[in-house]
Each structure stands twice: as C-alpha cells, then as structure tokens.
Amino acid sequence: MLLCWSLRAQDADLPLQHESYQMVDRLDIKGLTGGTVHTDMKPYSRQAVSTIFAATDTSAMSLRERNWFRLTRLAADDNFAATNDKKGILKYLFKNQRDFYHFESDNVRLYANVVGHVAGGVDQNDYTVGQNQTNLFNYRNTRGVQLRGSVTKHIGFFTEVTENQIKQPHFVRESYAQLGVLNGQNFVKEFDGGTPNTGFDYFNARGYITYSPVEQFRVKFGKDKVFLGNGYQSLLLSDNAAEHFFLNLNTRIWKLEYINHFAMMTDFIKGKPDSYGTYPKKYAVFHQLNYKPWKQLSVGLFESVVYSPRLPSGHRGFEIEYLNPLIFYRSVEQSLGSPDNSMLGLTWKLNALKHFQQYGQFLLDDLNFRQRANGSGYYGNKYGYQLGLKYIDAFKVMGLDLQMEYNWVRPFTYSHFNPAASYSHYGQALGYAYGANTHDLNLIARYQPFARWSALAIFTTVLQGRDLNGLNYGGDISRPYTTAVQQYNNFVGQGDPLKITQLYGRISYRLLSLDAYADLEGRYRKENQNTSMSIMGSLRINLPNQVMKY
C-alpha cells in the first residue's frame, strides 16, 4: 500500500487497472505525491490515494490537466466526492453525482453501486484449420452489485458480486480448449458448444475487510487479486490468475514498507469429475521489503514459497512454520528438506527529471554455478528479469505517456519437481502471464487529449517456446522440471516456437460524473501464421476495462 495516508476512515481499495492508477503514476514521477510513497504493491487503498490527491499542488497544471485531475479524483477519492453533494434523484440516489447510494456519519460510511459491462463486436480470424476465415460475434454481459464502506475509522469492507456471460476472441477460446481454464477466472461453464463458438458463463464474487489500528499498520483479509511491481507485467506476483483467498499485513515505518502475504490457492486438475470432490488446496507465502531513501528511488527485496500438502511420498499437512512473518523463507524450506518451491526477487524504481521512470525486477528461482563446468544452458538455472521505462508528457505533449517494457524468463522457471507446487493458482501463472521459456516487448502509449477522453495503444511481440512431441521444453510451468528434454543447452524460445504480434487500441469517454465509460476497442493479433482482428464497443460502470496480458 502507500505509506502516507490519513486515518480519516479506512475503506476499500481501488480495483486493479482502474483509470486512477495512471494519474497516481504521473504524480509520483513528477514528485508531487508529498511524502514517502510506495507504489510496488497494488491495489492501493482509496484513503491513501485520497491523501495523495489532497496534497497535490494543482497550481502549475493547465486547465485541461486540472479538469482531468478533478474527474480522476472524483472517481477515486470519497472525501472529495462528499464535497459534490447535491439534491440527488428521488432525494437519496446519486446525491454526490457519483454513487447510486451513499451514507455518511461520524463512524459509518456506506457506498452502494450497481456494476456492469455490456459489450458487443466481431472477431474475424483464420484460426480454424481447413476452413475459410471466420466471423465470430463477441460480447460481454456483466451485471452485479458492489457494496463498500467503513465502520469507525479503523475498519473497512468491500464486496462485489457479478454474473457474467461472455464470448471472447478466438485465440482466448483456443487457449481455454488447451488448458481448461479462462485466464483471470475460477470456475466457468461453457455454452454454445465447443471451439470456435464457445461462450463462457461464470459467477464472480470477491470481498474483504481491512483493519488499521494505527497509522503504520494495515490488515486486509478476504478474496481479491494483487499485483507487485511498477510495470505492465509482473514476474513476481501478478493479476493474471484468478482471485485468491489471503491475509495481507502491511507495515510502514520510516522509509520502509514490509508486506506479508499469506495465501490459500487451488491446485487445478483439468477435467476433474464432480464426483472426485474438491480441487486440492495449495498454499503460498510472500514477503516484500521496500526501502525508499528518497522520493526518486525505491528498491525492494522479495521472497516466496509455494507448497502443497501433497507430496509424492504422501500427505504432509499444513506447514505452520511458514506463518512466521519475520524470517527468511529459504532457510525454513531447506530445514524442512527442500520440498517446496521457493523464489527470491529484486525490484527497483528510479524517477528522473520529472518525466522519466526506470523500473525493473529480477526473479531468481534457482541457480547452480557449479554446473557451468559441465556445459551451458543448465535446465536447473531458472531466472528472469524485467526492464522498463516510462516517459510522461512525452515530447512536451501534455497527457501523452509512453512506456517500454521487456520481459525475459528462462525455461522451467516457476516449475517444480512436484507439479502441485508450481507457481500457479487454478491452472494460471501467479507471476509472468506467459509462464516460462518466453520473452516479450511491450510498447504502450496513453493519451488524454481532453479531460473526459482517453486513448490507449499497446504493441506487443512475444516469443514463447512450447512443448513439442510430448517433450518438456520448459514452457509449461505445470510440468515437473525433472522431465526436462535435456539438462544442458537450454535457451529461451526452445521447442515449438510461438511468435505473437499484437496491436491493441482503445478509445474511452467518461460519462457525466459517474465512474462510467463508453469504450471502442480493437485488436490485431498474429500467432505464427494465424491472424485475427476484432473490434468491440462497450459501456461499463464501476468496473475497469481489464486488458488481457497474454
């Protein structure tokens, strides 16, 4: 979370990929966020963002930027929205021009909203072998309710329930046919029978409570997604997988931030009959220590362990030693006989000249220097890195923000000799969305020409090595690395190379004072020789437009 916050009232977090994150990023790079602000762990609390916005000096902003800032603040900052109170509709509805219903007193805050995302479009593709190019109708029908607020000034709560029916572009349906999971979701049901016409029906519920007895400490308990890092992707912990159940402890002292994240996850088994009972459980623990000596620089140390109660030798139960919040996990894992999947990581972020931010991550799964004497490309050397650069108000164009990011992950990274302990949840990667044996380059442009209008463009190239002829080349993190096709001479992209080129674009218009948007988005994608083009128009309220990162 962010360090400088007020105890005015604890409340819910901003959902990941909300439009407000871009504004916080800009203020951070410009050095306008006030005190020591940590931006590595997302989502941010609304109260923390409220404190940042309240401390921002807008006098140097142009009129257009001030209007943009005001609309962003209205969406994210409950204190600011309270100043917008008017008569409302039917006296009680939309009194602050933003929330369907809200109530505030000295000790209670309550915000109730409907949520929805309705979209429709077409996907033209040639993925179906032996058939002519196919036009497929895509759509999304998401509707639900959201309730959040606070009780006293120390306890916050959030719950959201949605019912969803969607038809995605064909490359998503192909992925589902292969893996049996829909990225970012738990259980889904198919309708309209089989690729290429598969539709997905799913029920999504997430919720949590927060508690902050003192300014320096915050607890979050419930089911949600998290994201660790300052980039488009995260190699350490990302929002690629479905929501998971967790306990998050966040401690902020001086220029330090210390995060404990204890999680219960699902070991997904493709095609499991209902009569087999529940999916097996797996557990994960994460530490992140961030140090920010001054506004411009931040560095962090990361460690994690993913473990399963199921071992090839039998059932082991729950490892209570991993609940220790102040210990080096690798030492615990070794003392237990090295049965689990442990990783280390390094993060950094450097702001410069009020326009630039250089950021990155280094992930170390395993490394054996002694094997270099036997040959290069040892399969047990598993690591990856991320390098990124942001440039805001690029070329002196206000509101034009550019970003370049490169990710590189060696074969067999994230995998384990026990498949149940792979770095995954519900069959989806917990870190880098593409898994392992991959590198990609992302070029991102965001532009805010007017306060209500915004544009996003993302160009991505990917090279991923997939398994070939049933042999394990290190791209499938669910397969044990002990089945590697070879011990030496492994390299990124080996096996059956999948080359992806993708261009995604979106134009959005914010409606009234609501957290609601009309979007027009398009996508061109080429996977080896297969291509697809899609276009979709949508209307959404109180939901971010989640960009698919795979």
Side-chain angles (χ1 to χ4, degrees):
M1 300 297 106
L2 308 179
L3 182 59
C4 62
W5 64 1
S6 160
L7 282 179
R8 166 66 178 83
Q10 289 308 304
D11 195 5
D13 297 333
L14 279 171
L16 290 169
Q17 298 193 39
H18 190 273
E19 282 75 6
S20 298
Y21 283 85
Q22 183 188 1
M23 179 60 71
V24 174
D25 224 16
R26 289 172 55 84
L27 297 176
D28 179 42
I29 295 172
K30 290 183 176 184
L32 299 177
T33 51
T36 303
V37 177
H38 294 283
T39 60
D40 286 271
M41 191 70 169
K42 302 175 178 69
Y44 304 151
S45 77
R46 285 179 180 268
Q47 188 56 40
V49 173
S50 172
T51 303
I52 290 175
F53 286 172
T56 301
D57 182 5
T58 61
S59 60
M61 293 182 179
S62 67
L63 177 61
R64 175 158 60 96
E65 192 173 12
R66 283 200 301 271
N67 289 336
W68 175 20
F69 177 79
R70 180 189 176 279
L71 287 171
T72 306
R73 187 176 180 186
L74 183 63
D77 184 350
D78 293 333
N79 295 332
F80 184 71
T83 66
N84 206 41
D85 265 5
K86 296 182 181 178
K87 185 176 180 180
I89 300 174
L90 300 178
K91 189 177 179 180
Y92 297 106
L93 306 181
F94 295 107
K95 287 182 62 178
N96 63 1
Q97 313 300 299
R98 184 195 69 176
D99 297 294
F100 180 75
Y101 174 79
H102 82 281
F103 171 81
E104 292 190 24
S105 68
D106 290 341
N107 291 314
V108 176
R109 279 185 172 189
L110 180 66
Y111 302 90
N113 277 298
V114 297
V115 296
H117 190 171
V118 179
V122 64
D123 172 37
Q124 186 181 61
N125 67 83
D126 56 8
Y127 276 71
T128 306
V129 178
Q131 297 184 17
N132 294 326
Q133 198 171 55
T134 307
N135 289 314
L136 297 174
F137 180 60
N138 293 337
Y139 66 83
R140 174 181 292 274
N141 180 14
T142 296
R143 63 270 182 216
V145 294
Q146 182 187 97
L147 185 67
R148 62 180 177 87
S150 61
V151 180
T152 75
K153 296 178 181 180
H154 302 284
I155 300 173
F157 60 88
F158 173 90
T159 184
E160 180 183 273
V161 179
T162 61
E163 172 66 15
N164 307 267
Q165 289 82 40
I166 63 173
K167 279 195 173 182
Q168 296 282 65
H170 191 70
F171 71 90
V172 178
R173 308 178 198 196
E174 286 281 325
S175 175
Y176 176 84
Q178 294 173 11
L179 304 177
V181 294
L182 184 64
N183 265 41
Q185 301 301 329
N186 288 290
F187 175 75
V188 300
K189 294 184 292 185
E190 300 176 53
F191 64 89
D192 284 353
T195 303
N197 297 313
T198 304
F200 304 105
D201 188 329
Y202 58 93
F203 185 75
N204 187 285
R206 61 191 184 100
Y208 51 82
I209 59 173
T210 64
Y211 175 59
S212 184
V214 294
E215 183 178 357
Q216 293 79 15
F217 184 67
R218 188 179 193 239
V219 180
K220 181 178 178 182
F221 177 70
K223 186 178 182 182
D224 200 5
K225 293 185 179 185
V226 296
F227 186 92
L228 186 57
N230 293 284
Y232 176 64
Q233 297 267 13
S234 174
L235 306 187
L236 305 180
L237 187 58
S238 76
D239 58 348
N240 172 68
E243 294 90 353
H244 60 270
F245 191 67
F246 63 81
L247 171 66
N248 183 280
L249 310 178
N250 191 283
T251 306
R252 299 158 303 277
I253 300 175
W254 186 52
K255 298 179 179 182
L256 298 173
E257 178 191 45
Y258 186 56
I259 299 164
N260 291 272
H261 193 77
F262 307 96
M264 182 173 70
M265 298 178 176
T266 300
D267 180 18
F268 176 76
I269 301 174
K270 182 181 179 181
K272 179 192 73 65
D274 292 344
S275 59
Y276 281 26
T278 62
Y279 289 109
K281 298 297 181 186
K282 59 194 295 185
Y283 302 93
V285 286
F286 310 88
H287 285 165
Q288 172 82 3
L289 176 63
N290 298 317
Y291 173 54
K292 190 161 187 176
W294 59 85
K295 284 184 181 181
Q296 294 80 9
L297 177 65
S298 175
V299 292
L301 295 175
F302 170 86
E303 63 172 346
S304 69
V305 172
V306 177
Y307 65 100
S308 170
R310 298 182 299 125
L311 288 173
S313 59
H315 192 81
R316 64 192 281 205
F318 182 80
E319 291 292 353
I320 196 169
E321 287 194 58
Y322 287 133
L323 295 181
N324 191 328
L326 298 170
I327 202 166
F328 188 55
Y329 282 143
R330 180 58 175 162
S331 66
V332 177
E333 195 266 341
Q334 287 179 326
S335 70
L336 295 173
S338 295
D340 303 316
N341 192 0
S342 63
M343 294 196 300
L344 298 174
L346 174 69
T347 66
W348 67 89
K349 178 190 71 174
L350 176 64
N351 296 332
L353 303 176
K354 298 185 178 181
H355 285 278
F356 297 94
Q357 180 183 98
Q358 198 284 311
Y359 65 90
Q361 296 179 338
F362 178 74
L363 168 70
L364 178 59
D365 190 346
D366 206 352
L367 190 62
N368 191 325
F369 286 105
R370 291 177 297 179
Q371 292 294 336
R372 290 192 174 189
N374 300 323
S376 62
Y378 179 58
Y379 80 114
N381 288 340
K382 302 181 291 181
Y383 55 89
Y385 63 86
Q386 174 188 91
L387 296 173
L389 180 67
K390 297 177 184 178
Y391 179 21
I392 67 168
D393 294 337
F395 309 111
K396 299 182 180 181
V397 179
M398 201 287 291
L400 176 61
D401 300 341
L402 305 179
Q403 182 177 354
M404 178 173 62
E405 179 177 300
Y406 180 72
N407 299 285
W408 183 92
V409 179
R410 274 187 57 81
F412 309 105
T413 306
Y414 301 118
S415 64
H416 196 250
F417 66 79
N418 178 10
S422 66
Y423 202 71
S424 64
H425 163 54
Y426 213 88
Q428 302 157 50
L430 281 173
Y432 184 36
Y434 288 100
N437 196 15
T438 307
H439 64 82
D440 74 356
L441 175 66
N442 303 282
L443 304 177
I444 304 170
R446 297 179 175 88
Y447 184 46
Q448 195 90 17
F450 306 103
R452 294 185 180 275
W453 289 91
S454 63
L456 170 68
I458 305 174
F459 175 76
T460 301
T461 62
V462 182
L463 174 63
Q464 181 180 38
R466 298 182 296 180
D467 291 348
L468 182 64
N469 298 325
L471 299 177
N472 184 3
Y473 282 88
D476 185 352
I477 67 175
S478 67
R479 299 187 69 176
Y481 66 82
T482 51
T483 62
V485 65
Q486 56 194 14
Q487 279 198 322
Y488 299 97
N489 300 317
N490 294 286
F491 59 92
V492 173
Q494 67 181 8
D496 182 16
L498 172 64
K499 297 179 181 179
I500 301 173
T501 301
Q502 178 172 278
L503 177 62
Y504 170 84
R506 183 175 77 214
I507 299 174
S508 300
Y509 177 77
R510 180 168 176 180
L511 305 172
L512 304 174
S513 295
L514 303 174
D515 193 8
Y517 299 84
D519 300 318
L520 179 64
E521 56 187 324
R523 183 190 307 267
Y524 168 82
R525 184 181 178 97
K526 183 176 182 180
E527 293 188 359
N528 290 344
Q529 301 306 313
N530 295 318
T531 62
S532 68
M533 291 182 290
S534 61
I535 189 169
M536 180 172 286
S538 68
L539 178 66
R540 56 190 168 91
I541 179 169
N542 297 312
L543 287 176
N545 195 338
Q546 303 281 345
V547 177
M548 292 184 292
K549 299 179 182 178
Y550 57 91

